Amino acid sequence: MPRNQFQRMVFAFLTVLVTVHAYVFYSLYVVNGSTFMSLNEGATGVLDAIHKQGGVLMFGRMMPIWAVILIEFVCAYCLEVIMGSPLSFKLASRVFNPTKNHPMHFETAIICATVGLMCPAMSFLAAWFYYPYYEGFCIWTLLANWLKLICFNFPFAYFSQLFFIQPLIRSIFSFLFRKDIKAREEQIQKKGKQRSHDEIEAIQDIFNRMDEIKLEVKEEIIKEMER
């Protein structure tokens, strides 16, 4: 888990990097793959169909897949750093206290809050990005497309972040900053319990609480054996 601004930026970068590629694949292959194939007869696959039509329709023109990924990455990264990460922590803190609740509950709450914030926000941007401007513009059509994108994206966002993306990113992050994490864990053991006031302190409380839970479990096992 990130413990300072630099680590938060790295954590957000890794998260968005994996997430954007997963979403582009989901959108092009799972949601719209059959449409691309039907519009481009003779295509051997979805990627071939996209190449035949000259790319993906974005901003009313055909753009290559790499440009689509780059644009979505920049937008998603800015949203994650400015809105997703800080607000998700505040929302999770209203329900769970890292010093009292199990760390897994607090981390799960942060993931759920992030999905609840980022999915509608990115779907709103996507509604503008992929709007068929060649047919004219209508605000009701835009809002309808936004709602449709949320319905498509939210289930995928929730389950992929909770069960795949976030566990993967946390494993990678723990490996990259393993020395710093170990040093911080030693400092945590020397501090007393206090209510966390920001994300860095909350993460410290999480690791502290994890150590306490392990000790409590060991003590319970020892008591049971003595009986």
Side-chain angles (χ1 to χ4, degrees):
M1 298 291 291
R3 302 169 185 273
N4 53 51
Q5 185 60 33
F6 172 73
Q7 291 185 7
R8 282 198 294 269
M9 299 289 283
V10 174
F11 189 88
F13 177 86
L14 294 173
T15 300
V16 173
L17 182 66
V18 175
T19 301
V20 167
H21 283 81
Y23 273 76
V24 171
F25 174 82
Y26 172 74
S27 177
L28 296 183
Y29 280 80
V30 179
V31 178
N32 299 303
S34 58
T35 302
F36 290 138
M37 293 291 290
S38 63
L39 293 175
N40 299 273
E41 297 182 359
T44 58
V46 176
L47 191 60
D48 184 46
I50 293 174
H51 287 321
K52 284 189 174 183
Q53 71 179 21
V56 179
L57 185 65
M58 192 176 196
F59 299 115
R61 56 178 294 182
M62 292 297 179
M63 301 186 68
I65 296 178
W66 66 265
V68 173
I69 293 175
L70 180 61
I71 293 172
E72 291 205 10
F73 174 83
V74 172
C75 294
Y77 184 72
C78 292
L79 280 175
E80 174 67 19
V81 172
I82 296 173
M83 180 193 71
S85 179
L87 290 185
S88 62
F89 168 76
K90 292 180 180 179
L91 291 174
S93 297
R94 292 183 178 181
V95 181
F96 296 101
N97 181 356
T99 62
K100 297 180 180 180
N101 300 116
H102 193 283
M104 185 60 68
H105 295 163
F106 189 72
E107 291 184 12
T108 302
I110 290 179
I111 295 172
C112 293
T114 302
V115 172
L117 293 168
M118 291 294 292
C119 181
M122 283 302 299
S123 296
F124 182 71
L125 292 180
W128 287 93
F129 293 162
Y130 303 110
Y131 188 90
Y133 292 101
Y134 55 84
E135 296 179 354
F137 181 79
C138 177
I139 186 64
W140 301 114
T141 302
L142 176 72
L143 294 177
N145 290 341
W146 179 29
L147 180 60
K148 181 179 71 174
L149 287 173
I150 292 176
C151 293
F152 274 125
N153 294 334
F154 188 84
F156 177 76
Y158 177 76
F159 289 106
S160 64
Q161 290 291 337
L162 189 60
F163 295 107
F164 170 67
I165 295 178
Q166 286 304 314
L168 173 64
I169 297 304
R170 278 166 169 73
S171 298
I172 296 174
F173 184 87
S174 298
F175 175 77
L176 293 177
F177 295 96
R178 57 191 181 278
K179 293 182 179 179
D180 178 71
I181 292 174
K182 183 178 180 181
R184 298 287 292 191
E185 285 177 349
E186 294 176 354
Q187 295 179 5
I188 291 172
Q189 295 176 356
K190 300 177 182 179
K191 294 183 179 180
K193 289 185 177 179
Q194 292 182 352
R195 176 76 182 188
S196 58
H197 298 288
D198 58 28
E199 186 175 2
I200 296 176
E201 292 182 3
I203 301 304
Q204 294 175 354
D205 291 337
I206 288 175
F207 283 98
N208 191 19
R209 179 58 179 155
M210 291 176 67
D211 293 335
E212 291 177 354
I213 291 174
K214 292 179 181 178
L215 291 175
E216 291 173 2
V217 172
K218 290 181 180 179
E219 291 177 357
E220 289 294 331
I221 293 174
I222 293 173
K223 290 180 181 179
E224 290 295 330
M225 292 178 65
E226 291 177 351
R227 292 176 184 176

